[in-house]
Amino acid sequence: MSDQRFVVAAPKLATLPVVGDTGLFPVRRIYCIGRNYVAHVREMGGDEARDPPIIFQKPADTIMPDGSDVPYPKMTDDFHYELELVVAMKSGGYDIPESEALNHVFGYGIGLDMTRRTVIDAPARPNLPWELKKSFDQSCPCGPIHTVEDVGHIDTGAIQLVVDGDIRQDSDLGLMIWRTPEIIANLSKYFSLEAGDIIMTGTPSGVGPVVPGNKLVGSIAGLGAITINITN
Ligand code: MN
């Protein structure tokens, strides 16, 4: 039955499961931080100056749950994984001080910032928006949220991605250039953070391509693991 308030079908609210709770975490916005581990900055051809964080967004409806089949996207032949710690917000606002930032965190999860590293027929100019590379359909596999009450604040520990049994990314959250409180403080200078926002905190080195048939298992110490399968 359609909802008579709307003139076309209304979009579904994106949600994430919460470990140990039947309630769902409603996703409002997905903020992403780029180039937040020195070894990854180097592999992408950058220098390691502590520039302000790169910020972009994915639409909330790009989320794919743990266990999903993720179709190889259109308009690329270079589809990459980026395994990232996800921070889920329970409150927010503008100009959050670093010292208060963690009070706004609901929990943590594991996400993949899937990326069209090259985009077919895209204008070959630097400094263009990243939407075509980053914000396409089904580009944000994300596992369940673990609450701060259950797991505490996750800021060090192994982060590892395995593709078909081979370790491709193997780092430690302690190597993030911008730590979670700094990321929240910086983001909130530009945007009013709100309950339901999630933040992808950047990927360590070892990014690379996947093809249909690959099985990706991403794990973070204290948060378990998520699995996705790349399909045609
Ligand atoms: Mn990323």
Side-chain angles (χ1 to χ4, degrees):
M1 183 71 79
S2 64
D3 185 326
Q4 297 301 315
R5 290 175 299 162
F6 302 112
V7 296
V8 298
K12 272 195 262 181
L13 180 68
T15 61
L16 289 168
V18 177
V19 176
D21 197 322
T22 55
L24 297 169
F25 183 87
V27 180
R28 173 181 177 260
R29 293 183 183 171
I30 306 171
Y31 291 103
C32 302
I33 304 302
R35 302 192 178 185
N36 200 25
Y37 290 77
V38 168
H40 175 61
V41 173
R42 287 182 186 144
E43 77 181 347
M44 300 309 291
D47 65 39
E48 50 207 80
R50 200 169 191 263
D51 292 328
I54 294 171
I55 296 166
F56 60 97
Q57 289 187 45
K58 290 175 182 282
D61 71 352
T62 59
I63 284 184
M64 300 287 283
D66 180 24
S68 290
D69 289 342
V70 174
Y72 198 94
K74 295 164 60 65
M75 302 304 280
T76 189
D77 52 15
D78 198 14
F79 182 38
H80 278 210
Y81 53 78
E82 295 191 357
L83 181 66
E84 311 200 359
L85 172 70
V86 173
V87 179
M89 305 298 291
K90 66 180 179 186
S91 54
Y94 281 116
D95 297 320
I96 300 167
E98 266 181 53
S99 59
E100 295 174 17
L102 294 181
N103 297 334
H104 295 283
V105 174
F106 174 79
Y108 296 89
I110 303 173
L112 282 158
D113 168 19
M114 298 304 290
T115 300
R116 290 194 275 224
R117 195 67 69 197
T118 57
V119 181
I120 294 167
D121 291 344
R125 286 164 48 198
N127 303 321
L128 290 173
W130 285 10
E131 264 78 3
L132 295 179
K133 292 176 182 287
K134 293 291 197 178
S135 306
F136 53 95
D137 297 336
Q138 296 155 315
S139 63
C140 193
C142 189
I145 301 302
H146 299 252
T147 64
V148 170
E149 287 72 22
D150 276 358
V151 297
H153 288 287
I154 302 288
D155 59 0
T156 57
I159 175 170
Q160 188 178 79
L161 182 75
V162 174
V163 179
D164 293 346
D166 294 332
I167 297 172
R168 300 287 182 84
Q169 293 188 283
D170 191 10
S171 187
D172 193 287
L173 299 175
L175 295 174
M176 288 199 295
I177 297 169
W178 294 90
R179 314 307 303 272
T180 298
E182 296 174 308
I183 290 170
I184 290 170
N186 189 279
L187 264 175
S188 69
K189 292 180 190 174
Y190 301 94
F191 303 97
S192 180
L193 295 175
E194 302 291 342
D197 290 344
I198 65 172
I199 304 167
M200 312 269 295
T201 56
T203 197
S205 61
V207 299
V210 290
V211 296
N214 284 158
K215 175 182 178 179
L216 282 58
V217 179
S219 61
I220 292 178
L223 300 177
I226 68 166
T227 300
I228 65 164
N229 296 291
I230 308 299
T231 62
N232 276 307

